[in-house]
Every structure is written in C-alpha cells, then in structure tokens.
Amino acid sequence: MLHPYLEQQPWPQSDDEHSHNPDGDYSETLHSSAADSAAPAPAAIDRRVKLLHVSFNQDYGCFATGTDGGFRIYNCDPFREIFRRDFDCNGGIGSVEMLFRCNILALVGGGDAPQYPVNKVMIWDDHQSRCIGELSFRSEVRGVRLRRDRIVVVLEQKIFVYNFADLKLLHQIETIANPKGLCAVSQVAGSFVLVCPGLQKGQVRVEHYASKRTKFILAHDSRIACFTLSQDGNFLATASSKGTLIRIFNTHDGSLLQEVRRGADRAEIYSLAFSPTAQWLAVSSDKDTVHVFSLKVNLGSVGSESSNSPPDSNTAVNTSIPSLSFIKGVLPKYFSSEWSVAQFRLPEGSQYIAAFGHQKNTVVILGLDGSFYRCKFDPATGGEMAQLEYHNFLKPEEAF
C-alpha cells in the first residue's frame, strides 16, 4: 500500500534480484533482502539536529533535508512536514534526491557518521522503509539527479546515466573537476536533456538524448559555479565563479539569449531556478539576497536562429536602461546591464536556495539554518518582495 501523499510510479518488482559488475568505474546491485539496510527507528530521538543537505524536488512542490540522523520530506504549499526517517544508529544523510512525490528516493551518506558509504547511491523505497538497490563507485558521490526513467550519478570527474527500471548503465561522461556535483536534467517525458560541466573552464556540455546530439557552450571565461535547466530542457541559465552575470542560453543551438546582472561585486551563486513558463529567473547568492529577473526568451522559437526576439508579455518588466542605449559603446557594460525586478534580503550567516512557488508571483527560499520563507513579488512595480510566511523547519513551532 502506498502512502496517501505519494504518486504511484512504475518500479521493478522488489523480489527480482539483479546484479551487474562489469569492468570500469562502477558496479551496482539491486538487493532484495531487507536485512541489507538498516530500517529507520519508529520514533525520532529528541536531540539537536544538524542539517547536512536541503533540496527541492523536480517541480518545487516539496523539499527534502538530510540530517546527521536521517532525512525529512516537507510540502511547500501549504508548508508542513510530510514525514521523517530517523535511523537507529543516527547515521547521517548527506544527499536526498526526491522523484516528484513518489515513494522512491536516492540517498547518499554524509556527515561525521554516514548512514551509508559516501561512494554509494542507495535507492530507498519509503513504502517498504528500506533500500531496494544501490549503485557503488570508486570515488565519492557528488550528486544525484532523478527522472522517472533515469538515474544520473555525478562523481568528481565523471557522470553516469542509468536506466531506472533495471539499473543498466546507458552512458558515461567525463567532465572537468566538479566538486559541487553540478548537473541538471530536464523533466519532460520523451525529451531527455542533460547539462554538465565540459572539459574546459567555463564550458558546459548539453546532451540531447532524443536527437542524440551533444552541444558544447563556452558560457563564461571563468569557472562554472552554478546552472539550471528549464523543465522542458530548452533553456539553460549559467553563472560563473565571479557571480556578477547570469547568462541564458538556447540549449539547441547554444545561442546566448539574454544576460542579466546580479551585481557588481564578486559573489558565490548558490542556486538558479526558472519559473514554470521560463518568464522569470530566481538567483540566490552569498550576498544574502534573492533576486528575481524578468526573462525575454521566445518560447515559440526554441532551436531556431531567431530566438533573440522578445516574447509578447504584458507583465514582464524591462529592466534595462533605454536612456543609456545610445552610449553603450562609451560607458562600461555595467551601466547598460539588465538588473533584477525584485529582491529579498535574508539574515546573514546561512546558505540559501530559492525557487518559484506554486502560487502566482511567489518565491520559496530554503536555508541551511532551517529557515523557510515564502515571499511575493509585484511583476509591475518590482522592488523589495513582501514576506508572506516564515518557518523554522527543524523546529516547526517557530513560525510567524
């Protein structure tokens, strides 16, 4: 029986055993015995929880946290904790990847006392409260991405793509050093797009699996620090280690569609997120600010050479400076930059990620200090966003 909040997803029968250990940098085994993995304790131990990881699911409707004792899943709208799993031995979970709202999760150990080895991806079935499969590697797992049909595992300099149904290896990619585990995948069925760092500084690699095409884009002069894909995989937003400019590309032809400016000072970009229609882009950084930018990408001409024409939108704000356009060649590029429509200031001392909420013109912000913010921006006037809601998701009673 599936939990009532979960969507039923296709998954191989749990009593089918599959093993595969070819030569190379990987090996994996789908286990059928519950004894192979420790079940979580039935009740949480009341203690100070250390947060190791926080991430949204694929449609930003939920988010997952890894702690030094287990993992937790939350609903964004309305905000509430859906469930938690605290392990008997208080083992740490350094990464939790959800698959929309279904009962299948990908877990990687983390913290001072990892629940699982850091070189393994454990496929957890919450319906059975146990691991039903694992993928083992020779080096530490830096990231995991899930689609309904694929599992993508990111190592320091390699990426592996597996078929979800039988854990068969489909593709492996070599990358430049990628300690952050940067990787993004599209979520539209039948159109699988994967983006990862290339083999050169500032380069991204775009894999279009449906058309069997690979596109390399030299996005920045300096190291790639963050990127994200639109849900359909047509648009890519990138930021470099400088963190001043964010660039939006057409993934089909690699053309630069738009460039927006976060600020003048160097910054570390923590997250980038498109709105569902790719009309807006949210950016969080170590400047303790979330910015929302208006995008002018032409949704109707993806893949063509005419993608630079602006969309017909009556709500998008033009954040460039028309009055200075005639002296663009004289003044530094800074003065003609496109700036954010809206901003939200956050308390100092934490790392935040942001995404668009399911309510119109709302942004959800998660902090590694346990903070949950929902705020609203005005697409016509812009400016400071209004805070609608706050919770400490490690201590849900602390809300206002």
Side-chain angles (χ1 to χ4, degrees):
M1 171 177 170
L2 288 171
H3 296 288
Y5 62 86
L6 300 174
E7 302 171 344
Q8 186 172 4
Q9 299 291 340
W11 184 255
Q13 294 296 316
S14 60
D15 57 355
D16 289 346
E17 188 172 285
H18 169 81
S19 62
H20 186 40
N21 293 282
D23 295 331
D25 196 27
Y26 65 96
S27 62
E28 68 273 1
T29 306
L30 183 61
H31 293 288
S32 60
S33 170
D36 289 327
S37 55
I45 300 172
D46 186 17
R47 62 183 183 86
R48 188 176 180 86
V49 173
K50 182 180 179 182
L51 195 59
L52 303 176
H53 164 92
V54 62
S55 64
F56 288 100
N57 74 338
Q58 289 84 352
D59 64 4
Y60 305 131
C62 295
F63 67 96
T65 66
T67 73
D68 58 351
F71 64 90
R72 305 178 185 186
I73 305 295
Y74 299 83
N75 193 66
C76 288
D77 188 17
F79 170 83
R80 65 186 176 95
E81 182 179 301
I82 298 177
F83 69 91
R84 66 172 66 186
R85 297 289 176 256
D86 292 286
F87 294 99
D88 281 328
C89 56
N90 291 326
I93 299 296
S95 179
V96 187
E97 180 75 3
M98 299 181 67
L99 181 60
F100 291 92
R101 288 176 174 266
C102 85
N103 49 300
I104 303 300
L105 304 165
L107 306 177
V108 180
D112 296 333
Q115 173 69 15
Y116 306 111
V118 296
N119 66 324
K120 289 187 176 185
V121 175
M122 311 302 294
I123 309 302
W124 176 274
D125 183 350
D126 202 71
H127 166 47
Q128 301 182 49
S129 294
R130 69 182 183 93
C131 289
I132 59 171
E134 71 178 60
L135 296 159
S136 299
F137 304 89
R138 292 177 181 172
S139 60
E140 184 175 343
V141 174
R142 299 294 188 180
V144 184
R145 302 291 182 269
L146 298 183
R147 282 171 49 98
R148 288 189 169 97
D149 57 351
R150 298 291 183 266
I151 301 174
V152 179
V153 181
V154 187
L155 306 184
E156 179 85 25
Q157 291 186 292
K158 279 192 177 182
I159 290 177
F160 297 94
V161 181
Y162 297 90
N163 188 45
F164 215 140
D166 56 11
L167 300 186
K168 180 183 178 182
L169 180 68
L170 302 177
H171 192 206
Q172 54 181 315
I173 302 169
E174 291 189 9
T175 70
I176 198 170
N178 185 17
K180 289 184 176 181
L182 299 178
C183 184
V185 297
S186 64
Q187 294 298 333
V188 175
S191 176
F192 179 22
V193 181
L194 180 150
V195 176
C196 64
L199 287 170
Q200 302 174 26
K201 181 179 68 173
Q203 184 189 67
V204 291
R205 174 174 178 158
V206 184
E207 289 288 336
H208 291 273
Y209 285 97
S211 58
K212 297 181 180 178
R213 290 186 302 112
T214 301
K215 186 73 182 177
F216 291 93
I217 301 173
L218 188 57
H220 299 272
D221 293 331
S222 49
R223 178 179 51 83
I224 299 293
C226 192
F227 55 71
T228 190
L229 269 176
S230 58
Q231 288 280 313
D232 56 14
N234 289 329
F235 303 109
L236 168 69
T238 67
S240 76
S241 55
K242 290 182 180 178
T244 53
L245 298 172
I246 291 89
R247 291 175 174 147
I248 294 86
F249 296 92
N250 178 330
T251 62
H252 296 271
D253 62 15
S255 61
L256 175 63
L257 302 177
Q258 193 173 347
E259 180 179 271
V260 298
R261 181 174 288 275
R262 182 212 53 80
D265 298 330
R266 194 180 191 96
E268 182 179 355
I269 303 299
Y270 291 143
S271 72
L272 299 168
F274 284 102
S275 65
T277 59
Q279 182 184 4
W280 308 101
L281 182 75
V283 181
S284 69
S285 73
D286 65 354
K287 297 298 185 181
D288 303 309
T289 306
V290 170
H291 293 269
V292 172
F293 294 90
S294 172
L295 301 184
K296 303 179 183 65
V297 295
N298 190 343
L299 300 179
S301 62
V302 174
S304 72
E305 296 300 321
S306 60
S307 297
N308 290 325
S309 57
D312 181 17
S313 171
N314 57 7
T315 57
V317 176
N318 185 352
T319 57
S320 60
I321 309 174
S323 61
L324 295 180
S325 60
F326 69 98
I327 50 173
K328 273 185 180 180
V330 180
L331 288 175
K333 197 173 183 180
Y334 175 90
F335 290 100
S336 59
S337 295
E338 296 185 49
W339 297 84
S340 60
V341 173
Q343 311 81 34
F344 189 74
R345 312 290 172 183
L346 292 153
E348 296 180 5
S350 187
Q351 182 172 330
Y352 300 93
I353 61 173
F356 289 91
H358 286 191
Q359 297 177 35
K360 189 175 182 181
N361 301 330
T362 60
V363 175
V364 175
I365 303 167
L366 309 176
L368 274 176
D369 59 355
S371 56
F372 172 99
Y373 294 89
R374 189 195 316 282
C375 46
K376 188 178 182 69
F377 65 94
D378 187 323
T381 61
E384 291 293 322
M385 290 189 254
Q387 181 176 308
L388 302 179
E389 195 175 351
Y390 168 83
H391 300 276
N392 182 328
F393 54 77
L394 296 179
K395 300 175 182 178
E397 68 277 4
E398 293 185 15
F400 61 81

